[in-house]
Amino acid sequence: MCSINGYVGPGCYQLKNSTLAVDFRHIKYWHENYCSKMWCINFVYTTQVNGYLNATEGVFYVSNEGGQSTLPLVLRSHEPLGYYLGQRFSSYPESKQHILLVDAEHNIPISRQWDPKGCPYPIQIAQFGLAYYGRYRTLQSWKPSPHAFSHQVVVDFKSRFAKHMSCSKNNGPCSFGERMGSVSHKLTGANLSPKLTALIARGVNWPRETRLIINASLGPSTRRRAQIHFACSDTFGKGSIAIKNNYWALGYSQSVDLKVVFFLKNCQRVLLLQNLNMVLKKAVESISREAKANLAFSSPLLDSNIDELMVVDGVELKYPQQSRDSDGPGVVQELLLFVPIDNGKVEEVGSARHLLVNIEFARQRLMAAAEWLMENQAQDGSWRVPAKHAFTRDVYLKPGWCSAMGQGQGISLLVRVSQLTGEKDLLTAAYRALAPFSRSVHLSRSPDEACGVRANFLGQSTLPWYEEYPAVPSVFVLNGFIFSLIGLYDLSKVASVNGSNDAAITKASQLLEEGIGTLARVLPLYDSGTGSFYDLRHLSLAHAFRLSPHIERLTWSEQGVMKTPSETLKAILKAGPNRARWQYHRVHLLQLYNLAATIAPQHADLWHIYFDRWLAYLWGFRSGHN
């Protein structure tokens, strides 16, 4: 057995008295080493593993020495009204593990980070929009290759349905018949790309019980079948349900191994923007998580991995008889299946239309995120999180809390979309989002009260801190604080935009200056000597005892061998300093780089000192000792 930070599992084997074999898969999470399948197959991968063997327990205790990141560090410059932190192209913004799905009705990510059933999380919605903003700007700058692909990369299903529907001329909208019916089209032909996995569908007045159904196989080498339904209904239909929440239901039927049903509550205006391959991957992940939590759970897709692209076989539209009190016939305005541009390379563009469809997909998704922020901003200017976030039994955030990071990244998205569209209402919402930065976190104890994110660093009134998680006592998350400063910086740079609010711009600049002043004084506290701290919650005893009010002491034998149970060891270590894992350490480096280059160059010497030292930590070096 292996024990890493108190977590025990199989993976360590004693071959001889002095020889131990440690399974790489068991330690890669703690040592944070990553490799692709091909890389691991063709190369011998080694990492330094230190620790000691307790022969009595049969457990090898692994220490953290020697762990370092092997991923390349990419640094790009932030543009206050352009690319956010230099982010130009993100393949799948919804692929993040905390994103449960992309809501079919509002086209925003639904997070499972604080609620396993899923809820809108303003931070992830803003990040989603910013990622698609970068993708949109990048695709707009491209020109299609003069050599069109030989295979078809865009399929217009509306034109294929035209024989069975009433359609306007020149590829105009198509309306449903008054009677119940269905239209379908199977994808056949050697010239079709197997990567037709992205969907754009638009329509109006779809009657209740209308269903758009995507039929697919789970990869070309499998016989497993799948269906994705976009239903103007709250029912699953034929088959058995395995998982259901407010957004979708997952299950199976006699004819398909996986049936995914998205619920559309309002079909007066339909806009579907989905990556179908990602839909199926997220569905299988949800089923696997449910199986781990519920041992009695069963599904035909347990232990399945969708490593290959799904292959769409056909599309079907089912609609009921039109009711007399309807607002008119159901209309399909657009129904496209296309190959998404995944890797940010212009060589992926198959035609001018292919590029335009990908541009429109990115534009609609970034607009959906901005519209959600507009429509869901509270009267006090905040964006609320409808889920509880617990730090300890006694320290937690009730549903309805707001986040400085969410406020900052929401501002960053709104100012960009306002510049893109010229809509002043977006800029007004960004101005209103400043209000929580001036309100104390103590005002956020009740969801009914005005939300505040302003704390005093370690009680010092001259050191204001904008909390990602406005808990009492404070947490002081570093990356969330800096992201909030970036939002303030972006808003402070919109003075050149017509109709800008000078008072709001001045306020953003003032809040930014105060925050930068705090960061310049407290940044050294986040240096661990081996990396960086994610936060400073360990400075408060209320957070230090977050697993239980009492943690047992370590015990050891006369020979100095630890005898403490792993659960106790885990509690002791988890109550200690919250080190930033390498992924977040990289975020800190990117933030320091842009603080020096763009956001606060007046403190560049300080940012450079910590950037260089923290980069050395990333490479495996450590600070000196006495």
Side-chain angles (χ1 to χ4, degrees):
M1 301 291 283
C2 287
S3 175
I4 302 181
N5 293 338
Y7 292 82
V8 177
C12 294
Y13 308 92
Q14 186 174 8
L15 304 181
K16 296 179 181 179
N17 289 339
S18 59
T19 303
L20 289 170
V22 181
D23 190 335
F24 173 75
R25 291 174 298 178
H26 183 72
I27 64 172
K28 70 176 183 179
Y29 173 80
W30 293 104
H31 284 261
E32 298 176 55
N33 292 311
Y34 299 89
C35 61
S36 66
K37 290 182 179 179
M38 189 60 66
W39 198 91
C40 284
I41 290 171
N42 292 316
F43 295 88
V44 176
Y45 191 92
T46 61
T47 186
Q48 180 182 352
V49 178
N50 299 302
Y52 71 93
L53 173 67
N54 186 318
T56 304
E57 294 181 358
V59 175
F60 179 65
Y61 287 86
V62 182
S63 75
N64 282 319
E65 295 179 36
Q68 58 180 294
S69 175
T70 58
L71 294 173
L73 179 66
V74 179
L75 299 172
R76 294 191 175 96
S77 297
H78 180 74
E79 301 172 18
L81 298 178
Y83 291 110
Y84 185 83
L85 290 178
Q87 183 180 23
R88 282 169 166 73
F89 202 94
S90 178
S91 295
Y92 291 115
E94 65 265 44
S95 65
K96 295 180 179 180
Q97 64 173 349
H98 289 311
I99 292 180
L100 178 66
L101 54 91
V102 174
D103 179 21
E105 191 156 32
H106 300 100
N107 297 299
I108 59 164
I110 298 300
S111 175
R112 65 179 187 87
Q113 187 162 356
W114 310 124
D115 182 352
K117 293 184 178 180
C119 69
Y121 189 24
I123 289 177
Q124 290 178 358
I125 293 170
Q127 291 174 345
F128 185 78
L130 288 167
Y132 274 102
Y133 173 84
R135 176 189 279 249
Y136 173 73
R137 286 279 305 273
T138 299
L139 293 175
Q140 270 198 319
S141 67
W142 288 1
K143 293 182 179 179
S145 169
H147 306 289
F149 289 2
S150 59
H151 49 270
Q152 197 169 355
V153 291
V154 180
V155 177
D156 185 349
F157 280 92
K158 180 168 65 68
S159 64
R160 285 161 170 74
F161 290 167
K163 294 181 180 179
H164 309 284
M165 303 177 75
S166 177
C167 300
S168 304
K169 295 180 180 180
N170 300 321
N171 198 29
C174 296
S175 59
F176 303 169
E178 294 184 359
R179 297 182 179 180
M180 179 177 64
S182 67
V183 290
S184 62
H185 180 80
K186 292 185 178 180
L187 283 176
T188 57
N191 68 329
L192 289 171
S193 170
K195 298 181 180 180
L196 290 163
T197 59
L199 171 72
I200 296 179
R202 292 190 301 115
V204 294
N205 297 331
W206 286 17
R208 185 169 175 79
E209 302 304 331
T210 298
R211 285 180 182 245
L212 177 64
I213 303 171
I214 311 296
N215 292 297
S217 56
L218 301 179
S221 62
T222 177
R223 294 182 178 180
R224 296 195 171 192
R225 308 288 303 161
Q227 278 188 345
I228 302 174
H229 292 225
F230 300 96
C232 300
S233 171
D234 55 5
T235 61
F236 183 73
K238 294 181 180 179
S240 300
I241 297 176
I243 299 172
K244 183 178 181 181
N245 57 33
N246 292 330
Y247 307 99
W248 68 359
L250 309 177
Y252 53 91
S253 67
Q254 290 184 342
S255 59
V256 295
D257 299 286
L258 174 60
K259 181 177 177 180
V260 180
V261 180
F262 284 95
F263 302 122
L264 305 177
K265 300 178 181 64
N266 182 3
C267 285
Q268 294 302 302
R269 175 181 174 271
V270 176
L271 176 60
L272 303 175
L273 306 165
Q274 291 287 339
N275 185 310
L276 303 175
N277 195 58
M278 190 60 63
V279 168
L280 295 185
K281 285 189 174 184
K282 292 291 184 180
V284 171
E285 288 173 4
S286 293
I287 289 171
S288 298
R289 284 193 299 270
E290 183 68 20
K292 290 179 181 178
N294 181 3
L295 297 179
F297 179 85
S298 64
S299 167
L301 284 178
L302 281 182
D303 301 321
S304 294
N305 289 314
I306 302 181
D307 293 326
E308 301 176 274
L309 280 174
M310 60 166 283
V311 178
V312 176
D313 302 320
V315 175
E316 182 178 8
L317 180 65
K318 291 184 176 182
Y319 47 88
Q321 182 172 337
Q322 183 178 330
S323 63
R324 294 182 179 180
D325 58 350
S326 65
D327 294 330
V331 174
V332 177
Q333 298 167 317
E334 190 172 30
L335 183 51
L336 299 175
L337 203 63
F338 63 97
V339 176
I341 296 173
D342 290 339
N343 300 314
K345 297 179 180 179
V346 71
E347 292 81 9
E348 296 179 77
V349 179
S351 65
R353 190 185 188 197
H354 182 221
L355 178 59
L356 288 174
V357 170
N358 273 275
I359 290 174
E360 181 62 12
F361 187 88
R363 188 187 75 85
Q364 291 282 8
R365 276 199 159 180
L366 80 90
M367 290 301 301
E371 288 171 6
W372 187 92
L373 291 174
M374 286 277 292
E375 294 170 1
N376 291 273
Q377 189 175 36
Q379 290 294 321
D380 63 2
S382 66
W383 290 291
R384 302 299 184 100
V385 181
K388 178 181 177 180
H389 177 28
F391 295 94
T392 73
R393 183 182 59 182
D394 302 316
V395 180
Y396 56 88
L397 300 173
K398 297 179 181 179
W401 55 279
C402 64
S403 166
M405 180 173 169
Q407 298 298 120
Q409 293 193 315
I411 289 171
S412 291
L413 177 61
L414 291 175
V415 297
R416 284 164 174 77
V417 179
S418 176
Q419 187 190 44
L420 192 67
T421 63
E423 295 183 22
K424 295 181 181 179
D425 288 348
L426 294 164
L427 210 52
T428 300
Y431 298 150
R432 294 178 60 212
L434 290 175
F437 286 94
S438 298
R439 288 195 291 262
S440 169
V441 297
H442 293 279
L443 296 177
S444 303
R445 303 310 299 272
S446 170
D448 298 328
E449 297 176 347
C451 197
V453 298
R454 188 184 185 96
N456 293 326
F457 191 86
L458 298 182
Q460 302 299 306
S461 60
T462 57
L463 299 176
W465 184 274
Y466 311 131
E467 285 281 19
E468 178 179 352
Y469 303 113
V472 178
S474 295
V475 183
F476 304 123
V477 177
L478 180 59
N479 83 89
F481 177 61
I482 299 177
F483 278 128
S484 73
L485 297 181
I486 294 172
L488 295 172
Y489 172 78
D490 288 345
L491 188 54
S492 73
K493 297 300 179 182
V494 301
S496 59
V497 178
N498 291 334
S500 60
N501 184 323
D502 291 341
I505 302 302
T506 300
K507 184 62 176 178
S509 300
Q510 176 191 341
L511 292 167
L512 172 65
E513 184 178 353
E514 291 176 351
I516 291 295
T518 297
L519 184 62
R521 295 178 64 181
V522 308
L523 183 62
L525 296 177
Y526 287 87
D527 191 320
S528 72
T530 60
S532 54
F533 289 125
Y534 176 80
D535 59 41
L536 298 180
R537 71 182 72 178
H538 62 282
L539 298 181
S540 167
L541 288 179
H543 288 294
F545 293 109
R546 62 180 179 271
L547 285 187
S548 67
H550 175 70
I551 300 176
E552 295 180 7
R553 296 290 309 280
L554 279 178
T555 57
W556 56 91
S557 67
E558 293 181 357
Q559 292 75 29
V561 176
M562 187 178 68
K563 298 169 61 178
T564 300
S566 291
E567 283 299 314
T568 299
L569 177 62
K570 179 173 69 174
I572 291 171
L573 295 177
K574 196 168 184 178
N578 193 18
R579 296 177 299 112
R581 62 179 184 265
W582 291 124
Q583 175 188 350
Y584 279 94
H585 188 73
R586 290 169 176 277
V587 172
H588 292 162
L589 286 170
L590 177 61
Q591 291 176 328
L592 287 175
Y593 173 83
N594 279 286
L595 282 166
T598 306
I599 298 163
Q602 67 272 27
H603 297 290
D605 289 345
L606 175 66
W607 313 138
H608 287 156
I609 288 172
Y610 284 90
F611 177 89
D612 291 346
R613 188 184 302 161
W614 290 6
L615 182 59
Y617 296 159
L618 185 71
W619 290 341
F621 297 98
R622 301 293 180 260
S623 63
H625 57 77
N626 60 8

